Amino acid sequence: MATGDEMIKVVGERYCVPYTLELVVKKKLQSFSNSHYDVFDTTGNILLRVDGSVWNLQRRRVMTDPAGFPVITLREKGTGKLQQPISWKQEWQIHEGENLDSNNFLFRVKKSSGFHFKSNLDVFLGSRCKKGAGDFRVTGCISSLSIKVRRGNSVIAEVIHSYTWESYKGKESFKIKVYPEVDYAFIVALLVITHENENI
């Protein structure tokens, strides 16, 4: 469980609530090169959307609010021109809105090791050096149906992959439990990155 009542705001304070929040994320493959994520609360209200191409030279996704305004942009580092073959050293940079200034981002996500079967992503806030332990860590993997987001030894969010026959058709569903005062837009971004890394 999350530690104390300290607010963990990464994308923005408006995405932190003082109670445990349960979300449903529905992912749909719209075409061979495009997929879409919708994020709902338990009453069916849409809270966030994430769009973007799966296969292109600019591997990036844009998260928007229900009105369509950009919240953050998720971009895989090193893409945009001819990129080197996909390797285990995947790294994503997350920018506020649609700003893609390479020196200005909210956080970055890097795969911990190429020799783990699980995802094990390290998350670094801001532009600080990527040496040592990250500020957060994602453990587990989508294929094992469960991932956890940790800050130190504390779990701040959990994701369950609801795998069904529809998954073979490109329709997938996830349930997220976000602990109190934890930025749920940040957690959704980590889910999307984990899923993207596992489905290259």
Side-chain angles (χ1 to χ4, degrees):
M1 295 185 60
T3 56
D5 295 323
E6 179 185 357
M7 182 179 293
I8 299 176
K9 56 179 180 178
V10 179
V11 177
E13 185 175 339
R14 64 188 180 278
Y15 301 109
C16 301
V17 296
Y19 50 85
T20 298
L21 180 65
E22 295 188 355
L23 303 173
V24 175
V25 180
K26 295 184 178 180
K27 178 248 180 182
K28 182 179 180 181
L29 187 64
Q30 295 178 316
S31 67
F32 179 74
S33 62
N34 189 277
S35 61
H36 178 85
Y37 298 80
D38 285 320
V39 182
F40 303 90
D41 63 17
T42 54
T43 62
N45 295 315
I46 190 158
L47 302 178
L48 297 167
R49 290 188 169 97
V50 184
D51 278 302
S53 296
V54 179
W55 298 103
N56 61 16
L57 295 179
Q58 294 183 345
R59 274 178 58 82
R60 70 176 187 175
R61 295 189 170 279
V62 178
M63 179 185 291
T64 60
D65 65 15
F69 292 103
V71 176
I72 54 174
T73 297
L74 296 71
R75 180 172 65 95
E76 189 176 16
K77 184 180 177 182
T79 62
K81 297 182 180 180
L82 287 178
Q83 59 180 337
Q84 56 187 342
I86 298 299
S87 72
W88 60 265
K89 295 183 178 180
Q90 294 159 327
E91 181 176 330
W92 292 75
Q93 294 180 348
I94 291 73
H95 305 260
E96 186 174 6
E98 292 185 291
N99 175 23
L100 292 181
D101 181 355
S102 60
N103 296 315
N104 183 18
F105 42 84
L106 295 173
F107 62 98
R108 65 178 85 188
V109 181
K110 183 178 180 182
K111 197 166 185 180
S112 303
S113 170
F115 303 104
H116 291 165
F117 290 103
K118 294 185 177 182
S119 290
N120 290 344
L121 304 176
D122 288 319
V123 183
F124 300 86
L125 297 180
S127 57
R128 79 174 184 83
C129 184
K130 305 188 297 296
K131 295 180 180 179
D135 298 287
F136 302 90
R137 172 166 280 201
V138 180
T139 59
C141 57
I142 298 297
S143 56
S144 70
L145 308 183
S146 176
I147 64 173
K148 293 182 179 181
V149 182
R150 302 175 185 272
R151 185 183 193 186
N153 294 323
S154 300
V155 175
I156 62 171
E158 302 177 61
V159 179
I160 301 296
H161 183 194
S162 303
Y163 197 82
T164 66
W165 177 251
E166 290 294 306
S167 300
Y168 288 104
K169 302 177 183 179
K171 298 179 181 179
E172 299 182 72
S173 180
F174 307 88
K175 293 181 180 179
I176 304 180
K177 179 184 288 186
V178 184
Y179 289 108
E181 303 294 1
V182 175
D183 187 328
Y184 67 83
F186 170 57
I187 301 302
V188 170
L190 295 179
L191 165 61
V192 171
I193 290 170
T194 302
H195 193 263
E196 291 296 298
N197 283 354
E198 291 191 20
N199 287 275
I200 291 178

